[in-house]
Amino acid sequence: MLDVNAGVPGIDEPALLVAAIRAVSEVTDVPICIDSSVIEALEAALAVYEGKVLVNSCTAEDERMDRILPVIKKYGAAVIGMANDETGITMVPQERVEIARRIIERAVYYGIAAEDVIIDPIAMTVAADPQAGVITLDTMKLIKAQLGNNITCGASNVSFGLPERPIVNAAFFPVAMHSGLTCAITNPLIPEVRKAVLASDLLLGHDEYAAAWIADFRAGQKKVASTS
Amino acid sequence: MLDVNAGVPGIDEPALLVAAIRAVSEVTDVPICIDSSVIEALEAALAVYEGKVLVNSCTAEDERMDRILPVIKKYGAAVIGMANDETGITMVPQERVEIARRIIERAVYYGIAAEDVIIDPIAMTVAADPQAGVITLDTMKLIKAQLGNNITCGASNVSFGLPERPIVNAAFFPVAMHSGLTCAITNPLIPEVRKAVLASDLLLGHDEYAAAWIADFRAGQKKVASTS
């Protein structure tokens, strides 16, 4: 799934987002995630895209939920529910879960299936708060246990401001996937990240007899052979 | 801590192990782990080494515990308790915990402090059993919750028989350290593994303000600068 964002300061975001989605749709059939905090841009983009889309994202402020969720329902989309609200981002995992629960309940109220809400427990950098990673992981575990929804997050946030970010991001995947992360927002073209996801699947019992791991290794060898 | 092993088929293991420990002691003050399943070699090595040593390992067979643990006590050593016994290695995490508990109880019976028993929950390759990694992780969590002892394991076992082992091993550390692993048996000279341990400490809240991560990055840069 491809995240499409047109949030450039000073531009006409609805027009640019629609143009970007049309351009992307012409070159690929990969499903799209529309990434905007501007409701007019979201609505314009949803109107032109053919097929089920994921919207990134809806936070738990009453006003935002009551504007965005009916639009999600109207276009049969799915939505990422971000676990923060008008009070900001809490550092107490169970409080993030309660905020997530509110978004899911409001979505259901507007006729959206609970499983069409993917929860983002919020990942922040360990450079600013050493406990930021553990708080995100604990929130994931609670969401998995209490809500059962799919879980996403901006995985590379954990390393913001640090050197050698690909290595830190790669190390986040095994433990996040074990804690409940099901679909990260990340750059799969970074080799460390791609390999970390494959290795995590392997270690966590999602790659029987290492079939995917070995296939990826062989594909890599062929690539090297054909370019040397 | 350095693991010293002299298990070469056909040789006089007690004599070779003693010679190896003497040689190692001459060049480094790093604490030593004596790695042997031959009781005569263990006893000879413990007799010559000055300082507290770790013995790798004691399994839960009555006969082995009753031979090895009094020797551990006699020399004031610590010991790795391997969570298997005469019935082999169980794939049920709680059963491994009970086996570990038996070793700790027997050690205490022989006058060894419970905290001088480090538990090895046993790591096996995911190439043979896709659930092997999850079973080891679950066992670690149970040991952490129910026994509280330090936890070790042969971390590189998880990737035995697979290509690109350093990447798989690196991915194992974050999730194993989060599950309770406190002191792995591994090769810290493998760059992927060393970086994975540092990144895990960082993500799990054990590296305040990324001091160790940044120091390691700077040391790496200096090394590159001085060799270029």
Side-chain angles (χ1 to χ4, degrees):
Chain A
M1 179 169 271
L2 206 59
D3 187 278
V4 181
N5 181 304
V8 183
I11 54 103
D12 178 358
E13 189 173 328
L16 185 60
L17 188 60
V18 164
I21 281 169
R22 284 198 170 125
V24 169
S25 301
E26 275 172 27
V27 294
T28 178
D29 288 333
V30 168
I32 277 179
C33 174
I34 299 176
D35 184 354
S36 175
S37 51
V38 177
I39 184 95
E40 294 75 18
L42 278 181
E43 189 143 22
L46 282 161
V48 298
Y49 187 72
E50 289 172 24
K52 184 165 181 170
V53 82
L54 176 65
V55 168
N56 182 13
S57 57
C58 181
T59 48
E61 293 93 335
D62 281 323
E63 191 206 8
R64 280 200 71 76
M65 290 194 292
D66 292 335
R67 286 193 69 190
I68 294 174
L69 295 176
V71 178
I72 302 291
K73 169 63 184 169
K74 179 178 171 189
Y75 291 99
V79 65
I80 293 175
M82 281 271 284
N84 68 300
D85 60 15
E86 58 280 4
T87 65
I89 298 172
T90 168
M91 297 311 270
V92 181
Q94 187 62 49
E95 289 178 9
R96 291 196 192 171
V97 177
E98 297 313 324
I99 293 168
R101 196 193 304 271
R102 254 172 33 221
I103 302 173
I104 296 165
E105 286 173 355
R106 193 70 59 96
V108 169
Y109 169 82
Y110 281 112
I112 299 163
E115 61 261 32
D116 274 343
V117 185
I118 297 174
I119 300 300
D120 183 338
I122 305 177
M124 297 199 293
T125 178
V126 289
D129 178 350
Q131 294 307 313
V134 173
I135 289 166
T136 301
L137 296 171
D138 286 348
T139 307
M140 286 178 178
K141 285 184 217 167
L142 294 172
I143 291 168
K144 187 180 175 183
Q146 297 175 18
L147 305 177
N149 290 60
N150 274 302
I151 299 175
T152 185
C153 80
S156 60
N157 293 0
V158 292
S159 64
F160 187 77
L162 290 170
E164 301 186 283
R165 292 186 67 182
I167 303 175
V168 181
N169 296 347
F172 184 63
F173 277 93
V175 68
M177 288 168 68
H178 191 52
S179 297
L181 177 67
T182 51
C183 43
I185 301 165
T186 193
N187 183 349
L189 299 178
I190 298 173
E192 289 90 342
V193 166
R194 204 175 55 82
K195 282 285 186 185
V197 172
L198 286 167
S200 302
D201 273 337
L202 176 58
L203 289 168
L204 299 176
H206 307 138
D207 181 11
E208 285 227 333
Y209 305 102
W213 181 257
I214 291 167
D216 182 76
F217 168 69
R218 288 194 179 139
Q221 282 194 312
K222 268 189 197 156
K223 220 167 161 186
V224 170
S226 68
T227 56
S228 65
Chain B
M1 177 169 272
L2 207 59
D3 187 279
V4 181
N5 181 306
V8 184
I11 54 103
D12 178 359
E13 189 172 328
L16 184 62
L17 188 59
V18 164
I21 281 167
R22 284 200 169 123
V24 169
S25 301
E26 275 171 29
V27 294
T28 179
D29 288 333
V30 169
I32 277 178
C33 174
I34 300 176
D35 185 352
S36 175
S37 53
V38 177
I39 183 94
E40 294 74 19
L42 278 182
E43 189 144 22
L46 283 161
V48 298
Y49 187 70
E50 289 173 24
K52 184 165 180 170
V53 81
L54 176 65
V55 168
N56 183 12
S57 60
C58 181
T59 48
E61 294 93 336
D62 281 322
E63 191 206 8
R64 279 200 73 76
M65 291 195 289
D66 292 335
R67 286 193 69 190
I68 294 174
L69 295 176
V71 177
I72 302 292
K73 169 62 184 169
K74 179 178 171 188
Y75 291 100
V79 65
I80 293 175
M82 282 270 285
N84 69 299
D85 60 14
E86 60 279 3
T87 64
I89 298 172
T90 167
M91 297 311 270
V92 181
Q94 188 60 49
E95 290 179 7
R96 290 195 192 173
V97 177
E98 298 313 325
I99 293 167
R101 196 193 304 271
R102 257 178 24 225
I103 301 174
I104 297 165
E105 287 174 354
R106 192 69 59 96
V108 169
Y109 169 81
Y110 281 113
I112 300 163
E115 60 262 33
D116 275 343
V117 185
I118 298 174
I119 300 301
D120 184 337
I122 304 176
M124 298 199 291
T125 178
V126 288
D129 179 351
Q131 294 308 313
V134 173
I135 289 166
T136 300
L137 296 171
D138 286 348
T139 307
M140 286 178 178
K141 285 185 218 168
L142 294 172
I143 290 168
K144 187 180 176 182
Q146 298 176 17
L147 305 176
N149 290 59
N150 274 303
I151 299 174
T152 186
C153 80
S156 61
N157 292 0
V158 292
S159 63
F160 187 79
L162 291 170
E164 301 185 283
R165 293 186 66 183
I167 303 175
V168 181
N169 296 347
F172 184 62
F173 277 93
V175 68
M177 288 168 69
H178 191 53
S179 298
L181 178 67
T182 52
C183 44
I185 302 166
T186 192
N187 183 350
L189 299 178
I190 298 173
E192 289 90 343
V193 166
R194 204 174 56 81
K195 284 285 188 188
V197 172
L198 286 167
S200 302
D201 273 336
L202 175 59
L203 290 169
L204 299 176
H206 306 138
D207 181 11
E208 285 228 334
Y209 304 104
W213 182 257
I214 292 166
D216 182 77
F217 169 67
R218 287 191 179 142
Q221 281 195 313
K222 269 190 197 154
K223 220 167 161 185
V224 171
S226 68
T227 56
S228 64

